[in-house]
Amino acid sequence: MSSPALPLIHQALRKSFQRLESSQKVWASVLAECSPLIASVGNLAEQLRALSSLHLPSTPLNVFPDLEDRLRFKLLHAVDTALVRLNEQMCSLQSVRDSFSNQVSAVFQLYEQNRDSLDASTVMERSAMAPSICDMMGWLQDAEHHYRQQFVRRKALLQTLRADELSLLESSPKRWKSLESPSMEENITDALDKVSFFIEE
Amino acid sequence: ITQSSAKKKCSALTGSARKIKDNAADWHNLLLRWEKLNDEGFKVAGRIVELRLMRSQRDELLLLDSTSAPAGSSSLQTGGPPELQDECCKLKDIVDKMASMVMKMQHLMASQQGVQDLEEFQFRAGGRRLPLFHSWDTKAFGDSSRALLESFTEELKLKQMIQEELAHTWSSDLCMVYMSCWLHQPFIPPDARLTLEALLLETGHRPL
């Protein structure tokens, strides 16, 4: 006997995976916008490092007495601009995370409300067209966790960056790259593949 | 080009206002061209540094090589001086073009000064009572032009020095500082763009 709540839950799951699909696209495009910015932060840090390691009065540039201050000002200004733009991108990640979270918690709430009418076999049952409710909810939860973790880690990295901490700025592109988690991305892609028939139903 | 098309569009303007408005358009065009030349120059300068570093690495190899096999070293010379010379000529061309742009800026400044002198003659010490455009007095146009001219004159000197020194620089840190000077133009303050926009806004090139 299938529960009357089943179509409702299926509908909510379908909506969540559609949201996951679109979230993935936005997420990837935001990160793609971030990579040249973070690269430029690293690059500017290198330029600042070169400037600090030189004694300009003993180079041909000594005819420009205020050059060092002026160049440093311009470089720091450019670092600031890049950091501001990165932080703007973080806001986009945050809104993806939040809207996806809301979607997932709606599914879980719906499930909680109807759990008495759903027996274990219904929740575990899978068919050629649809994975089990249990699996699908698990995948959604994993994806949500992934977004949360990624957002917090990237945001935390950016918050440690300060224009006067050269070594942190210099290592930032590497650390940014190390936050990538291809296995989690793969899991999400897999999950989306598995629900592709279910979504279209 | 902009000057003539501007003339067609607002043929009502004459005298000082006409001259000042045309000058503002010229400033705009010069700054755009400068940016373009700066980008081109940055690419050329980048290649010079690359060739320079390649050469110094090769020289080190040669030095090691010459102790063991002094005869076979001439084959390593390819891709060296002629290519470097080529890029240096290109950079020189670009800096020369920038120099001629600064000359044009000086002309603009001189003509601006001329307008101001004329107004002082026409209206005595108090200057004209009503502004030519929206709110600026005639002197303000001169002040903006002077600020821009001073920045670009100094920047040109820096560029000329970089162009002369770049291919003779061994230190990679110094090369990087030259490159970063070229790109970030330390003598052009961040508000230069704002100064120009204010000029364009006041003269009516940009809608209020």
Side-chain angles (χ1 to χ4, degrees):
Chain A
M1 260 290 290
S2 71
S3 148
L6 201 56
L8 279 179
I9 291 180
H10 272 166
Q11 190 52 36
L13 282 168
R14 209 164 272 137
K15 227 174 128 189
S16 301
F17 280 107
Q18 280 159 354
R19 176 66 61 86
L20 179 60
E21 214 168 12
S22 61
S23 298
Q24 274 297 86
K25 282 188 191 131
V26 179
W27 193 270
S29 78
V30 174
L31 286 184
E33 295 211 14
C34 287
S35 49
L37 289 171
I38 197 85
S40 126
V41 168
N43 199 304
L44 287 162
E46 251 179 80
Q47 297 177 51
L48 281 162
R49 169 81 67 200
L51 182 62
S52 309
S53 65
L54 277 180
H55 184 238
L56 286 197
S58 48
T59 70
L61 291 170
N62 59 9
V63 288
F64 302 102
D66 56 348
L67 178 76
E68 187 169 349
D69 289 342
R70 281 175 175 274
L71 183 58
R72 177 161 290 121
F73 171 76
K74 280 263 180 152
L75 291 172
L76 291 175
H77 186 70
V79 171
D80 268 348
T81 312
L83 289 180
V84 166
R85 287 180 54 201
L86 277 167
N87 276 312
E88 284 166 6
Q89 300 296 334
M90 287 304 104
C91 295
S92 311
L93 289 189
Q94 186 170 15
S95 69
V96 171
R97 179 202 71 175
D98 289 346
S99 75
F100 185 67
S101 278
N102 288 341
Q103 186 67 44
V104 174
S105 56
V107 174
F108 276 77
Q109 214 175 347
L110 190 66
Y111 174 78
E112 285 299 322
Q113 284 161 1
N114 297 288
R115 64 187 298 173
D116 296 338
S117 67
L118 294 161
D119 53 40
S121 64
T122 316
V123 177
M124 306 284 227
E125 188 191 339
R126 67 184 78 177
S127 68
M129 295 299 279
S132 69
I133 291 178
C134 173
D135 279 344
M136 289 196 279
M137 286 176 72
W139 298 333
L140 288 178
Q141 208 166 27
D142 288 346
E144 192 210 1
H145 181 244
H146 171 66
Y147 285 148
R148 283 187 178 285
Q149 200 178 40
Q150 279 284 308
F151 171 72
V152 169
R153 286 185 176 170
R154 291 189 189 274
K155 178 101 183 163
L157 194 163
L158 289 183
Q159 273 173 345
T160 61
L161 297 183
R162 286 207 344 240
D164 53 351
E165 289 269 7
L166 271 192
S167 51
L168 286 178
L169 289 180
E170 272 175 318
S171 61
S172 62
K174 242 189 190 162
R175 285 184 293 141
W176 183 265
K177 183 119 183 67
S178 76
L179 294 181
E180 280 171 14
S181 106
S183 62
M184 207 44 232
E185 290 291 329
E186 221 169 276
N187 289 350
I188 293 180
T189 316
D190 276 356
L192 284 173
D193 284 347
K194 285 178 193 149
V195 297
S196 54
F197 287 125
F198 171 71
I199 292 180
E200 282 163 19
E201 240 173 58
Chain B
I1 302 157
T2 316
Q3 222 180 25
S4 58
S5 61
K7 258 176 198 155
K8 268 179 225 154
K9 261 191 271 168
C10 352
S11 49
L13 282 182
T14 53
S16 299
R18 171 80 276 146
K19 194 76 203 152
I20 288 175
K21 185 162 181 173
D22 291 349
N23 282 354
D26 284 350
W27 272 115
H28 172 69
N29 291 338
L30 282 173
L31 263 60
L32 277 183
R33 261 197 79 207
W34 180 280
E35 281 311 311
K36 238 178 110 185
L37 280 176
N38 199 50
D39 289 348
E40 273 174 43
F42 184 69
K43 284 181 203 138
V44 177
R47 277 200 295 277
I48 293 178
V49 171
E50 215 175 286
L51 289 169
R52 188 81 191 88
L53 290 178
M54 260 165 59
R55 236 187 110 195
S56 60
Q57 280 167 3
R58 198 162 37 213
D59 287 351
E60 275 171 32
L61 276 178
L62 264 175
L63 222 64
L64 289 175
D65 221 35
S66 59
T67 51
S68 55
S73 54
S74 61
S75 61
L76 287 165
Q77 286 293 344
T78 49
E83 226 179 306
L84 189 60
Q85 183 72 29
D86 236 32
E87 297 298 328
C88 288
C89 288
K90 278 189 209 160
L91 193 61
K92 172 101 177 58
D93 266 3
I94 289 172
V95 172
D96 286 347
K97 280 183 194 157
M98 286 174 148
S100 75
M101 287 173 68
V102 171
M103 291 267 283
K104 284 181 189 153
M105 291 177 185
Q106 281 164 351
H107 287 311
L108 285 181
M109 184 66 226
S111 102
Q112 189 58 49
Q113 189 58 48
V115 171
Q116 203 175 319
D117 291 347
L118 178 66
E119 298 238 313
E120 265 167 36
F121 174 73
Q122 282 178 317
F123 301 98
R124 303 294 161 215
R128 72 164 61 232
R129 286 226 199 98
L130 292 171
L132 279 166
F133 297 96
H134 298 296
S135 63
W136 289 16
D137 59 9
T138 313
K139 193 174 154 292
F141 296 101
D143 292 346
S144 304
S145 304
R146 192 170 299 107
L148 290 172
L149 175 64
E150 278 167 9
S151 312
F152 281 89
T153 307
E154 206 59 14
E155 192 59 44
L156 176 67
K157 279 190 213 154
L158 177 60
K159 295 254 194 278
Q160 283 167 332
M161 153 156 300
I162 295 173
Q163 178 252 313
E164 282 164 15
E165 296 290 335
L166 197 58
H168 307 285
T169 304
W170 285 96
S171 143
S172 59
D173 276 347
L174 190 53
C175 278
M176 180 165 278
V177 170
Y178 283 144
M179 291 301 287
S180 118
C181 280
W182 188 288
L183 184 66
H184 296 284
Q185 315 205 78
F187 288 107
I188 300 179
D191 62 0
R193 184 79 232 164
L194 209 62
T195 308
L196 176 72
E197 284 302 319
L199 196 61
L200 294 176
L201 201 65
E202 175 68 20
T203 50
H205 286 291
R206 294 256 193 270
L208 256 186

